[in-house]
């Protein structure tokens, strides 16, 4: 699974001037793209429906380099529809659940830290025993 930072000029329509929705303070969307549907191993397996690649496509050279780097024939391509719907759903679910788990874990850490800080601030000052 590859992660690539997104460079978008998009703005958050929910809150263009604040970060209440999780966007950056300047209103820019904070996106991360992950390739999760069809993997190089899926293509190498030879079990997916294939078709010829359009070698005249402007992206063919980049596609060819990536295929060769992954050990895949650059003259064969598969579509996302070639993956069984159940397997695609499973991969999507696992990825989404993993992301949610990370967010929840971080939220729990921050909540415990905040609670501990509040307890410290809420404690009355210790009485001076010498008085």
């Amino acid at each position: 699974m590859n992660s690539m930072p997104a460079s978008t000029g998009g703005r958050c329509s929910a809150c263009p001037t604040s970060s209440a929705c999780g966007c950056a303070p300047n209103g820019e969307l904070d996106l991360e793209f992950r390739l999760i549907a069809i993997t190089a191993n899926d293509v190498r397996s030879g079990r997916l429906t294939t078709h010829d690649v359009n070698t005249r496509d402007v992206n063919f050279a980049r596609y060819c380099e990536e295929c060769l780097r992954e050990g895949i024939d650059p003259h064969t391509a598969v579509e996302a529809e070639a993956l069984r719907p159940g397997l695609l759903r499973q991969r999507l679910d696992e990825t989404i659940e993993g992301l949610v788990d990370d967010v929840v874990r971080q939220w729990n850490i921050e909540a415990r830290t905040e609670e501990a800080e509040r307890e410290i601030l809420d404690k009355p000052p210790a009485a001076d025993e010498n008085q």
Side-chain angles (χ1 to χ4, degrees):
M1 186 180 323
N2 296 333
S3 293
M4 297 180 290
S7 79
T8 67
R11 293 238 174 234
C12 177
S13 60
C15 62
T17 59
S18 75
S19 60
C21 71
C23 64
N26 64 0
E28 292 290 320
L29 296 177
D30 182 18
L31 299 176
E32 179 181 314
F33 290 96
R34 294 178 181 223
L35 303 174
I36 58 174
I38 296 178
T39 67
N41 286 337
D42 292 327
V43 177
R44 273 191 225 91
S45 75
R47 292 178 293 183
L48 301 176
T49 304
T50 62
H51 62 83
D52 291 335
V53 173
N54 179 1
T55 57
R56 295 183 309 267
D57 187 291
V58 295
N59 295 309
F60 177 71
R62 185 172 50 93
Y63 172 78
C64 186
E65 287 174 17
E66 188 67 27
C67 285
L68 293 173
R69 187 178 9 253
E70 293 291 336
I72 299 171
D73 177 6
H75 291 88
T76 302
V78 299
E79 298 294 335
E81 300 86 35
L83 203 58
R84 288 187 343 268
L87 183 55
L88 177 58
R89 170 67 60 193
Q90 176 187 348
R91 289 179 182 179
L92 290 170
D93 287 346
E94 288 171 356
T95 301
I96 291 168
E97 289 168 7
L99 292 171
V100 169
D101 288 346
D102 290 345
V103 170
V104 169
R105 189 176 308 107
Q106 184 61 37
W107 186 85
N108 285 333
I109 291 169
E110 290 174 10
R112 284 191 298 273
T113 301
E114 184 176 327
E115 185 178 330
E117 289 171 350
R118 281 188 182 159
E119 286 178 12
I120 292 170
L121 294 173
D122 288 343
K123 282 185 181 179
D128 188 1
E129 295 176 10
N130 295 330
Q131 292 184 0

